[in-house]
Amino acid sequence: MDVLVGIGSPDESVAALERTATRAAATGDDVTVAIVGDHADAAREALEADARAVADDAGIDVSIRHVEGDPGSQLVDIAEAEGFEELVIGGGSESPMGKITIGSTAEFVLLNAHTTVTLVR
Amino acid sequence: MTSERRYPDEISGPFPTPPREFTDGEDREIEIRPYDGSDAEYESLSEMYVEFDPEDRAQGIPPGKESRIRTWLDGILADDCYNIIAWDGDTAAGHATLVPDTDGDHFELAIFVLQDYQQAGIGTNLIKSLLGYGKSVGITKVWLTVERWNHPAVSLYKKVGFETTGAENFELEMAIRIGDDEE
């Protein structure tokens, strides 16, 4: 299966990538990582390094690309245009109280993607 | 997110400070008082959340399993948080809490009323008492999120002075000012 993982922040996205990479190691899924959102160069490189490290730990190859523009719509566009079968994103953060909040990227993807979407907590 | 949150200019209130007693809509004598940190009150609160109807969960809280309820309570009953409980005798009927953001300047509010005690005025009394309690300890800015389809909760928050400050996500974000920053 061709899986697209969107990562945009270290805290929310690493879990999504770890889960995807672990599964891919078992199933042979092809994993593409899209680094989304506006980042300074250093932060962008750090996200890429994180992604490489997770993939190496799981023992899989991933292709990594940097995507500019609005994260939600870019992910939905790429997933559809390139025929990905699953789109994986971070599933929200927690408020000080422990309330789960879903960010605007996740909401956009859920409402607009025609592919299966997995939110990872 | 914290630094960009907008708060109303106008100060809401005044709000009553706990402890308070009142008769609820079902003729029960209810007392609202600050959490005293005792094991007995902790256990009563934990019991309330074990009984809590999963349908009334909001955004993942309260958690469902007792072990996770306790972990969650340990966090929100910490020393830098402000908690009040509505008591019907020894039974915890409702609970409201203020939890600081990481900067410690703004507080997130949540309120829970056990199903058997809902629609009897306890929620309204709890939230007013919590805001009064917060003001008495020098808190000026309080915020919350609420699922946008939860109309009873949204109207309660509006009634006491919360304004919608963010509506772009599934949850509404609302905020209230209860004191002057310069005071």
Side-chain angles (χ1 to χ4, degrees):
Chain A
M1 190 162 73
D2 288 337
V3 180
L4 177 64
V5 188
I7 69 174
S9 74
D11 39 341
E12 235 186 279
S13 308
V14 169
L17 185 54
E18 279 174 349
R19 177 186 175 280
T20 308
T22 308
R23 278 177 56 93
T27 60
D29 288 343
D30 286 323
V31 178
T32 299
V33 176
I35 296 174
V36 295
D38 291 330
H39 304 284
D41 288 346
R44 190 186 302 275
E45 282 161 26
L47 277 170
E48 178 166 349
D50 284 352
R52 292 259 176 243
V54 171
D56 289 348
D57 282 350
I60 61 161
D61 284 326
V62 295
S63 73
I64 298 180
R65 64 173 86 169
H66 296 273
V67 175
E68 293 187 0
D70 175 68
S73 53
Q74 290 297 324
L75 288 171
V76 169
D77 276 354
I78 293 168
E80 277 179 38
E82 302 182 23
F84 283 96
E85 290 148 284
E86 186 184 8
L87 177 47
V88 182
I89 52 179
S93 53
E94 285 191 4
S95 75
M97 178 76 58
K99 279 190 172 177
I100 297 164
T101 53
I102 294 210
S104 53
T105 299
E107 181 176 344
F108 185 92
V109 167
L110 280 175
L111 293 175
N112 290 283
H114 289 270
T115 42
T116 296
V117 177
T118 300
L119 295 181
V120 177
R121 294 231 158 99
Chain B
M1 168 168 160
T2 304
S3 53
E4 298 138 28
R5 192 174 299 117
R6 195 170 57 75
Y7 288 87
D9 293 329
E10 199 179 322
I11 296 173
S12 295
F15 298 107
T17 48
R20 293 177 65 215
E21 284 178 41
F22 63 98
T23 305
D24 81 354
E26 299 285 331
D27 275 339
R28 293 169 293 216
E29 295 301 319
I30 303 293
E31 184 182 2
I32 292 178
R33 52 178 197 264
Y35 170 61
D36 68 2
S38 68
D39 287 349
E41 289 203 359
Y42 183 101
E43 292 305 323
S44 297
L45 206 50
S46 167
E47 220 165 278
M48 173 183 129
Y49 285 115
V50 169
E51 296 297 316
F52 210 77
D53 187 340
E55 263 190 36
D56 281 354
R57 291 172 69 178
Q59 296 164 255
I61 59 171
K65 267 175 51 188
E66 184 169 357
S67 58
R68 295 195 54 214
I69 287 171
R70 286 174 178 272
T71 308
W72 174 65
L73 282 178
D74 290 342
I76 64 173
L77 296 177
D79 288 341
D80 57 348
C81 306
Y82 295 91
N83 288 272
I84 61 173
I85 301 171
W87 295 97
D88 176 14
D90 291 333
T91 302
H95 168 216
T97 180
L98 289 168
V99 178
D101 284 16
T102 40
D103 63 11
D105 189 27
H106 313 241
F107 284 74
E108 184 183 6
L109 177 146
I111 175 167
F112 301 91
V113 177
L114 200 56
Q115 284 65 38
D116 286 350
Y117 291 91
Q118 290 178 3
Q119 297 180 321
I122 294 176
T124 305
N125 273 288
L126 262 176
I127 192 164
K128 288 180 177 168
S129 302
L130 184 66
L131 293 171
Y133 185 34
K135 165 127 184 158
S136 74
V137 297
I139 294 171
T140 59
K141 300 193 204 78
V142 175
W143 65 280
L144 58 84
T145 59
V146 57
E147 288 156 344
R148 58 174 68 245
W149 55 82
N150 190 350
H151 301 295
V154 172
S155 61
L156 168 61
Y157 297 140
K158 279 190 179 152
K159 198 167 68 183
V160 296
F162 279 88
E163 292 178 13
T164 301
T165 52
E168 66 275 14
N169 291 338
F170 283 145
E171 313 87 20
L172 287 184
E173 186 182 278
M174 304 180 83
I176 191 172
R177 184 184 297 276
I178 57 174
D180 193 332
D181 292 329
E182 309 305 319
E183 264 175 30

